[in-house]
């Protein structure tokens, strides 16, 4: 039975809040292009994150730092055009919001105006408070991001688990409460101990979305290329692969090459 487009209920901030209050888990995956976003939207994923991880999986950079705001806007507009139900959130890339609230608001406004997205995501806590206030003052929804914040990788020097020590754990809890108080509608927690993530999820009223943060949070997010098995070299503990597309796609391409070279493709049925 097909669902009529008018029957599709879009995911809203209010719906996410209801899901947390009802104990209903929230699913989130990254998306960077129209075709993949359409598939994920039709599969029922509630939130699509146009992540600055596009720098890694789409452009081949080692970190997320090089990607530009123009690139993020291009990817995000493609994802929005495919999304009928999912909420689309866009990462503000490195250098477009840190330190200068005026730059932050200009970046966020550009994303919202030029992509049609439903909100933005930025990394950090108290150190970006003024930028958060400025963006929220324009009515732009913000998803926070604490724990391992990849845009700060040069400060951390490693992609290992964050907030294992008491001082950093306390700051993370404080930052989560601050982001909630300022008005952020949700927070991503990346690569932190499961017990700490559980504490944060219990102490704030906004949804907590985990990646490498255990199961006692309100939802989960993964990079779609990782969970689809398109990159076998990436093997973090938190990743579950739901497909092996690297093998399937490599075999398909190899079979195509063989058929072309053998003169088997195209055959008579595939010719005009």
């Amino acid at each position: 039975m097909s669902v009529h487009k008018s029957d599709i209920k879009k995911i809203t901030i209010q719906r996410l809040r209801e899901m947390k209050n009802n104990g209903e888990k929230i699913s989130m995956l990254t998306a960077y292009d129209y075709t993949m976003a359409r598939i994920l939207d039709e599969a029922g994923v509630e939130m699509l994150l146009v992540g600055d991880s596009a720098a890694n999986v789409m452009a081949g950079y080692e970190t997320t730092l090089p990607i530009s705001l123009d690139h993020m806007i291009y990817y995000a507009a493609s994802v929005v055009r495919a999304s009928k139900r999912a909420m689309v959130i866009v990462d503000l890339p490195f250098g477009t919001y840190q330190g200068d609230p005026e730059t932050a608001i200009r970046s966020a406004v550009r994303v919202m105006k030029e992509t049609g997205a439903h909100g933005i995501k930025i990394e950090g806590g108290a150190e970006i408070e003024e930028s958060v206030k400025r963006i929220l003052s324009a009515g732009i929804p913000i998803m926070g991001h604490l724990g391992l914040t990849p845009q700060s990788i040069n400060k951390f020097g490693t992609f290992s688990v964050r907030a294992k020590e008491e001082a950093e754990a306390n700051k993370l809890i404080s930052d989560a409460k601050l982001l909630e108080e300022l008005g952020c509608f949700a927070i991503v927690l990346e690569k932190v101990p499961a017990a700490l993530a559980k504490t944060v999820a219990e102490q704030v009223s906004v949804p907590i979305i985990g990646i490498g943060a255990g199961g006692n949070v309100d939802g989960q997010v993964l990079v779609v290329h990782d969970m689809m098995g398109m990159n076998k070299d990436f093997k973090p503990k938190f990743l579950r692969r739901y497909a092996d597309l690297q093998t399937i796609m490599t075999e398909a391409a190899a079979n195509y090459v063989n058929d072309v070279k053998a003169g088997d493709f195209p055959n008579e049925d595939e010719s005009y």
Side-chain angles (χ1 to χ4, degrees):
M1 176 179 158
S2 62
V3 178
H4 194 272
K5 284 187 178 180
S6 63
D7 295 331
I8 298 174
K9 291 186 178 180
K10 293 187 75 70
I11 301 298
T12 63
I13 290 173
Q14 178 62 30
R15 174 69 183 126
L16 296 176
R17 192 174 294 120
E18 290 172 358
M19 290 176 75
K20 174 175 175 115
N21 293 338
N22 295 335
E24 182 182 350
K25 299 289 190 180
I26 300 163
S27 61
M28 185 176 193
L29 285 171
T30 63
Y32 318 98
D33 67 271
Y34 176 86
T35 302
M36 182 69 84
R38 186 178 62 183
I39 291 169
L40 301 180
D41 185 68
E42 291 179 356
V45 178
E46 277 97 16
M47 303 182 75
L48 297 178
L49 172 65
V50 186
D52 57 5
S53 46
N56 312 120
V57 299
M58 301 298 284
Y61 291 113
E62 286 190 6
T63 72
T64 62
L65 302 184
I67 200 161
S68 70
L69 186 62
D70 286 340
H71 284 126
M72 292 301 302
I73 287 172
Y74 171 81
Y75 291 130
S78 303
V79 170
V80 169
R81 283 192 287 270
S83 176
K84 300 292 185 288
R85 175 176 175 269
M87 175 183 286
V88 179
I89 303 300
V90 183
D91 272 339
L92 289 191
F94 178 71
T96 64
Y97 62 92
Q98 296 97 334
D100 179 10
E102 293 306 313
T103 299
I105 185 63
R106 283 196 299 271
S107 302
V109 166
R110 273 199 67 196
V111 167
M112 300 299 285
K113 283 177 69 73
E114 296 178 37
T115 73
H118 308 117
I120 58 100
K121 180 170 78 66
I122 53 179
E123 299 179 4
E127 59 276 8
I128 61 163
E129 180 176 352
E130 294 307 313
S131 290
V132 170
K133 287 179 178 177
R134 194 76 178 86
I135 294 169
L136 288 171
S137 73
I140 298 173
I142 295 179
M143 170 179 268
H145 185 153
L146 299 171
L148 176 64
T149 46
Q151 291 180 13
S152 302
I153 187 57
N154 289 324
K155 178 180 75 173
F156 294 144
T158 173
F159 285 104
S160 61
V161 176
R162 303 306 311 170
K164 289 191 288 186
E165 304 299 327
E166 185 177 3
E168 191 176 346
N170 288 339
K171 182 182 186 311
L172 188 144
I173 294 171
S174 173
D175 281 341
K177 290 179 177 179
L178 173 63
L179 292 176
E180 175 192 27
E181 184 182 322
L182 291 174
C184 293
F185 75 89
I187 302 169
V188 168
L189 287 187
E190 181 169 356
K191 252 185 154 181
V192 301
L196 174 61
K198 181 175 186 288
T199 298
V200 173
E202 290 171 347
Q203 292 192 12
V204 301
S205 63
V206 299
I208 300 296
I209 310 297
I211 175 167
N216 291 309
V217 289
D218 304 304
Q220 300 293 330
V221 61
L222 286 174
V223 172
V224 69
H225 290 67
D226 299 338
M227 61 81 69
M228 291 287 188
M230 298 173 75
N231 175 17
K232 289 185 176 179
D233 296 332
F234 187 57
K235 303 174 183 177
K237 181 179 181 180
F238 63 78
L239 175 62
R240 181 182 297 180
R241 287 202 175 88
Y242 286 83
D244 183 11
L245 292 194
Q246 181 170 327
T247 297
I248 293 170
M249 294 170 76
T250 302
E251 289 179 353
N255 289 337
Y256 166 75
V257 171
N258 292 336
D259 288 350
V260 169
K261 291 187 178 299
D264 183 59
F265 175 79
N267 59 30
E268 287 187 14
D269 290 338
E270 294 157 336
S271 302
Y272 294 99

